[in-house]
Amino acid sequence: MKSGENYNSRRRFIQKLAAFSVMAAVPHFLFSCKEKLSGFILKATGTNHILGHRLWLKNFPPPSRIVQMPYLIIGGGITGLSASRQLKKNGIDDFYVLEIESNVGGNSSNGANNYSKFPLAAHYLPLPNIRDKELLAFLEESKIIISYNKGMPIFDEQQLCFDPNERLFIRNTWQSDLIPKYGNSSESDRQIDLFFQLISAYRSKKGTDGKYFFDIPLHFCSKDSDLDDLDNKTMKTWLNENNFDADELLLYVDYCCKDDFGLGIEFVSAWAGIHYFAARKHENTMYNDTVLTWPEGNGRLVEHLKYYAKNNVLSNTLVYEIKIENNTVKVLAYNAETNESIHFIAERVIVCTPQFINKYLFQERKKIYEGFHYAPWFSATVTLLEIPDNDSFPLSWDNVILKGKGLGYVYNQHQHLEQVIDRKVITYYYSFSSDDLANDRKQLLKKPVSYWKELMIADLKIAHPDIEEFIIDIEIHKIGHGMISPVPGFLKGQYLYEASECIENKIYFAHSDLSGISIFEEAFHQGINVVNKIINDATLDT
């Protein structure tokens, strides 16, 4: 296949690979299981770690053919899809996206059952800051933003979280909002108020370059170093230094850090913890503390991005070698559907895989990648006859249990317009926050799915004592490397810079973990920025 091949020949090539998908060599359900427990069905899924672990062995057949293509994108998560969109917007159609999973989307993927779609991980998008013109343009082309009023975006109301959006189970009752309020002491309330006063000051604080110290995406942030010392301590240390010791406040901030970083206040840097609260500016006063969400979570955003790569994706394809050879990039990849290896020759390669994968592809950079830490996660989607509740506050989209082991659950049908819903579907989240993430990861994959089922049910019983009697089905989704965790010294250190450096203007790197924070906005901008850099470098070369 020649460089610059036409659309139809590329489409036929992809269709040929897809024809083998009926009996895939390593299907998704190979590492899933089903078992009947306590009267309901229990299933386990996960990322394609069996195929991924073959990177250790590299026991692949020799390449059976050579394919030439100007551009290759390795990885079909949000960054890879965003890079596809940016290539297409620059008139570049000659590229492939090589994706290890059967579907693109990464941590924004979703599932579905007979009653609802549901997220497997990422499940919402906060309203973007007004300066983020690239993201606003994407949301507008996706018909999530429907118009503007005095420079402020107007969002499609059916894609904004319906009321009630949040509730917290505290002292045996549900309250509105996730900030603890019910039954607090006056001292706890005082500390919570003071905390948000400090956050407000950080939110508006700018450097001498006129940029905010805390912004999204992170490359918008001020380059001044005045607050860099915050990255050298944990969030818990910063809270202690400011005399914050109210249990309610500490639990709330700990929850927030786990929600975005996987790790709690004992392990996350103070700069990252403050960024969580201060980076979103809430300039659009038409909307009060809401988010964009869908039954399938950020799978909806994946569907919009997939439009730009729909004829360019080769799924179930694992890249196991990348190197520069004869002034081009040699890429060897194994396709699990056809059980063959393919030798790709590309002019430019965009590596959109996380650094825990890259360490097996670029051995010379392995020491750099040791500075990247990833928290394991699991989510559990539960189908119920009904959600037994004490009716102290209505079922909401986000439902969190104070002092619970996990991060609560989202009600996946919250955005449904039907008045009567036959079965309820929720997705529960659990992150592993400790100083030994490697062992946590091992335990997540090693322990039987029944162990995690029992943990989840026990956690939910704090707020719903009879919930087990109503369960029809549970699907547990394990993610060994859930998200990048910004430990002290990481965001302002050298690891991010060194891992982002391209190789000979041929091999480029982009992923949300190269920003240091695993949120949609960072992944989205990583894809845009890397394509812009490639185009700029190519212009300079000529």
Side-chain angles (χ1 to χ4, degrees), residues 111-366:
N113 59 26
N114 292 333
Y115 308 103
S116 180
K117 296 178 180 179
F118 53 83
L120 295 177
H123 51 284
Y124 68 98
L125 177 67
L127 301 191
N129 294 335
I130 300 304
R131 289 167 307 290
D132 195 347
K133 302 302 182 185
E134 291 278 8
L135 182 53
L136 292 174
F138 168 66
L139 296 178
E140 187 173 8
E141 69 191 43
S142 303
K143 296 181 171 51
I144 296 171
I145 292 175
I146 57 175
S147 64
Y148 281 82
N149 180 20
K150 296 180 180 179
M152 292 293 177
I154 306 297
F155 294 90
D156 177 7
E157 289 188 3
Q158 292 188 18
Q159 301 186 67
L160 290 167
C161 187
F162 297 161
D163 287 333
N165 61 348
E166 296 174 335
R167 65 175 183 169
L168 177 72
F169 191 76
I170 175 173
R171 299 182 175 94
N172 296 317
T173 193
W174 290 102
Q175 62 149 66
S176 173
D177 200 5
L178 297 186
I179 302 170
K181 294 179 293 186
Y182 180 77
N184 287 359
S185 67
S186 58
E187 174 59 17
S188 293
D189 285 340
R190 185 194 69 80
Q191 289 191 27
I192 290 172
D193 289 343
L194 179 58
F195 172 80
F196 282 107
Q197 289 174 28
L198 292 178
I199 292 299
S200 181
Y202 279 123
R203 183 178 291 121
S204 59
K205 191 174 180 62
K206 293 183 178 181
T208 56
D209 53 8
K211 296 181 178 181
Y212 289 109
F213 277 100
F214 299 97
D215 209 342
I216 296 174
L218 267 72
H219 67 265
F220 283 7
C221 292
S222 173
K223 298 300 186 289
D224 283 8
S225 60
D226 294 15
L227 300 183
D228 284 5
D229 187 55
L230 289 170
D231 195 48
N232 295 322
K233 63 184 73 172
T234 66
M235 189 62 179
K236 185 173 183 179
T237 297
W238 179 85
L239 289 164
N240 288 338
E241 288 175 351
N242 286 275
N243 299 313
F244 291 123
D245 58 7
D247 197 33
E248 293 85 355
L249 175 61
L250 298 181
L251 288 168
Y252 171 69
V253 178
D254 190 60
Y255 160 82
C256 292
C257 288
K258 289 178 180 176
D259 188 49
D260 254 23
F261 313 127
L263 297 182
I265 58 176
E266 292 184 47
F267 309 107
V268 165
S269 90
W271 197 99
I274 293 169
H275 180 273
Y276 174 94
F277 296 98
R280 303 192 186 279
K281 306 306 178 184
H282 308 295
E283 303 123 317
N284 198 336
T285 55
M286 288 181 285
Y287 303 103
N288 181 30
D289 193 27
T290 190
V291 299
L292 294 158
T293 190
W294 308 267
E296 66 270 38
N298 287 8
R300 178 70 62 89
L301 300 173
V302 171
E303 285 300 310
H304 293 307
L305 286 172
K306 276 170 59 176
Y307 169 79
Y308 299 95
K310 59 184 176 182
N311 296 303
N312 304 79
V313 176
L314 302 181
S315 57
N316 292 298
T317 301
L318 170 68
V319 171
Y320 60 89
E321 184 177 310
I322 305 174
K323 68 179 181 179
I324 296 174
E325 193 174 86
N326 299 324
N327 204 36
T328 59
V329 186
K330 172 186 176 181
V331 175
L332 299 183
Y334 173 73
N335 185 276
E337 295 178 350
T338 60
N339 193 28
E340 67 169 341
S341 291
I342 304 170
H343 178 175
F344 291 93
I345 299 175
E347 297 171 16
R348 301 284 191 280
V349 171
I350 306 173
V351 181
C352 298
T353 44
Q355 310 321 302
F356 66 84
I357 295 294
N358 292 348
K359 69 181 181 181
Y360 297 105
L361 297 173
F362 303 95
Q363 293 290 330
E364 69 278 9
R365 291 183 162 208
K366 197 166 185 178

Side-chain angles (χ1 to χ4, degrees), residues 24-40:
V26 187
H28 189 67
F29 53 77
L30 188 64
F31 49 88
S32 303
C33 65
K34 276 189 178 182
E35 49 186 306
K36 196 80 172 178
L37 292 176
S38 302
F40 54 79

Side-chain angles (χ1 to χ4, degrees), residues 432-466:
F432 293 77
S433 178
S434 80
D435 59 359
D436 193 350
L437 297 177
N439 182 63
D440 291 339
R441 191 172 299 113
K442 181 180 178 180
Q443 295 304 313
L444 172 64
L445 299 176
K446 179 182 178 181
K447 288 185 176 179
V449 63
S450 56
Y451 177 89
W452 306 113
K453 179 225 43 165
E454 294 293 347
L455 182 152
M456 178 204 65
I457 291 178
D459 204 18
L460 291 176
K461 279 184 173 181
I462 297 172
H464 309 285
D466 301 324

Side-chain angles (χ1 to χ4, degrees), residues 17 61 67 71 79 103 179 233 246 277 318 350 428 470 513 526:
L17 286 178
V67 175
Y71 299 92
T79 297
N103 297 296
I179 302 170
K233 63 184 73 172
F277 296 98
L318 170 68
I350 306 173
Y428 168 93
F470 294 83
D513 64 8
Q526 284 277 324

Side-chain angles (χ1 to χ4, degrees), residues 20-25 336-337:
F20 291 89
S21 62
V22 175
M23 292 296 292
E337 295 178 350

